[in-house]
């Protein structure tokens, strides 16, 4: 007799689960009814019809899984094709038409079309709109970025990904740049990377960059870390300098700590 089917830890889809139960039930019914030929024959035909219906559902489910896998693989190949092509055009300097100048270091060649497509701010600057600066011409200056930070920014605009070895300070600069130049995807990528690495040792720096870039998600994660490691953070040498520079953030920290504190009940 087939054993009782139980849902595994790594759950399968509902259709497959129900199908497996139906198959097992069919064989169990067949074993139980072998003593009565006529009645067993009727039940077997019913069970067979049910099994055929179930296996058809399983085949349909499997075909849908294959179609989903194909679509996923196709999307990955198209993304890789576009990413590698743009990155190669930038790294090899193919038909570049603008020099982006950082605050320090040499300029980096790029393509106006890529800059305009990735950032609404760059699009307006390059078009010379009334609300923006004059047309950039053959150069664009981003004085708030170092040469390395600019290189990371352009790499992201061309590939849509952050290098795994990107340093924290560069992530800070990229988050601020994503906010300033309106690149939402860059903002989200930096927020996720920074939020995953928040700890007591860097939470004050994270709070500063979260406020500077208006990142509510990163601010919330940093405040949670401050509350979790309150004594270590508040009594650290860095906190005194932080408090001088960031009075408003200190008020928020105080309120967060008090909100998390349990006060004794008042006696009448």
């Amino acid at each position: 007799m087939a054993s009782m089917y139980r849902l595994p830890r790594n759950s399968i889809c509902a259709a497959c689960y129900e199908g497996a139960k139906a198959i097992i039930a069919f064989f169990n019914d067949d074993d139980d009814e072998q003593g009565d030929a006529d009645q067993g024959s009727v039940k077997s035909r019913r069970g067979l019809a049910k099994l055929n219906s179930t296996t058809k559902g399983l085949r349909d489910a499997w075909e849908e899984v294959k179609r989903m896998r194909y679509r996923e693989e196709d999307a990955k190949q198209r993304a890789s094709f576009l990413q590698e092509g743009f990155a190669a055009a930038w790294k090899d300097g193919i038909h570049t038409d603008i020099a982006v100048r950082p605050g320090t270091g040499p300029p980096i060649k790029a393509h106006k079309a890529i800059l305009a497509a990735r950032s609404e701010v760059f699009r307006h600057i390059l078009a010379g709109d009334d609300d923006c600066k004059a047309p950039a011409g053959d150069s664009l200056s981003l004085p708030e970025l170092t040469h390395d930070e600019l290189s990371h920014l352009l790499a992201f605009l061309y590939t849509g990904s952050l290098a795994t070895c990107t340093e924290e300070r560069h992530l800070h600069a990229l988050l601020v740049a994503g906010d300033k130049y309106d690149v939402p995807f860059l903002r989200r990528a930096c927020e996720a990377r920074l939020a995953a690495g928040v700890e007591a040792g860097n939470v004050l720096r994270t709070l500063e960059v979260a406020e500077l870039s208006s990142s509510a998600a990163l601010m919330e994660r940093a405040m949670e870390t401050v509350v979790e490691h309150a004594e270590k953070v508040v009594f650290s040498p860095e906190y005194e300098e932080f408090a001088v520079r960031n009075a408003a953030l200190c008020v928020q920290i105080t309120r967060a700590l008090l909100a998390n504190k349990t006060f004794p009940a008042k006696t009448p």
Side-chain angles (χ1 to χ4, degrees):
M1 181 181 292
S3 61
M4 179 65 69
Y5 181 80
R6 297 184 183 279
L7 191 65
R9 291 180 180 274
N10 298 324
S11 301
I12 59 177
C13 69
C16 296
Y17 174 60
E18 293 300 327
K21 286 203 304 182
I23 293 172
I24 291 174
F26 166 74
F27 286 113
N28 285 342
D29 290 343
D30 188 61
D31 289 342
D32 293 340
E33 299 299 331
Q34 284 182 357
D36 190 339
D38 294 335
Q39 188 177 3
S41 177
V42 173
K43 286 181 175 283
S44 295
R45 287 195 297 271
R46 291 175 180 174
L48 184 60
K50 183 176 181 181
L51 180 60
N52 289 336
S53 176
T54 300
T55 54
K56 182 180 183 302
L58 289 173
R59 287 196 301 271
D60 292 343
W62 177 242
E63 290 299 323
E64 180 61 26
V65 168
K66 290 194 293 185
R67 286 192 292 269
M68 290 173 63
R69 287 179 177 175
Y70 173 79
R71 289 195 295 267
E72 181 182 4
E73 185 62 28
D74 182 62
K76 287 181 179 180
Q77 290 179 359
R78 284 188 283 112
S80 177
F81 171 76
L82 294 173
Q83 183 185 78
E84 292 175 4
F86 288 144
W90 174 54
K91 291 178 180 178
D92 296 340
I94 301 174
H95 301 303
T96 54
D97 53 7
I98 191 170
V100 187
R101 302 182 181 278
T104 59
I108 302 176
K109 292 287 189 178
H111 300 83
K112 293 179 181 178
I114 296 297
L115 298 181
R118 301 303 192 202
S119 163
E120 286 290 332
V121 175
F122 287 153
R123 178 182 300 180
H124 292 306
I125 292 175
L126 294 171
D129 292 353
D130 294 337
D131 296 335
C132 297
K133 300 178 182 178
D138 295 331
S139 67
L140 175 64
S141 180
L142 305 180
E144 72 278 9
L145 299 176
T146 66
H147 182 271
D148 288 343
E149 292 165 352
L150 175 59
S151 179
H152 282 292
L153 172 62
L154 291 175
F156 186 89
L157 296 182
Y158 278 87
T159 66
S161 62
L162 293 169
T164 55
C165 58
T166 306
E167 298 178 18
E168 179 188 294
R169 59 191 178 92
H170 290 154
L171 289 173
H172 289 175
L174 291 174
L175 178 57
V176 175
D179 177 61
K180 179 176 181 179
Y181 297 111
D182 192 16
V183 188
F185 189 45
L186 175 59
R187 279 176 51 90
R188 291 194 296 271
C190 292
E191 285 174 343
R193 185 75 65 85
L194 289 170
V198 176
E199 56 186 21
N202 64 14
V203 68
L204 296 179
R205 296 193 299 272
T206 303
L207 282 171
E208 287 185 305
V209 75
E211 183 181 48
L212 187 60
S213 61
S214 304
S215 174
L218 188 58
M219 178 69 73
E220 181 179 357
R221 178 69 186 92
M223 281 296 177
E224 291 174 355
T225 304
V226 170
V227 171
E228 183 179 356
H229 304 281
E231 187 172 345
K232 186 174 181 180
V233 172
V234 174
F235 290 99
S236 66
E238 295 83 4
Y239 190 78
E240 294 184 11
E241 296 180 4
F242 172 85
V244 173
R245 297 192 306 268
N246 303 279
L249 282 176
C250 286
V251 172
Q252 293 184 51
I253 290 175
T254 301
R255 289 174 176 171
L257 294 175
L258 289 174
N260 190 65
K261 184 178 178 61
T262 303
F263 294 96
K266 291 183 179 181
T267 57

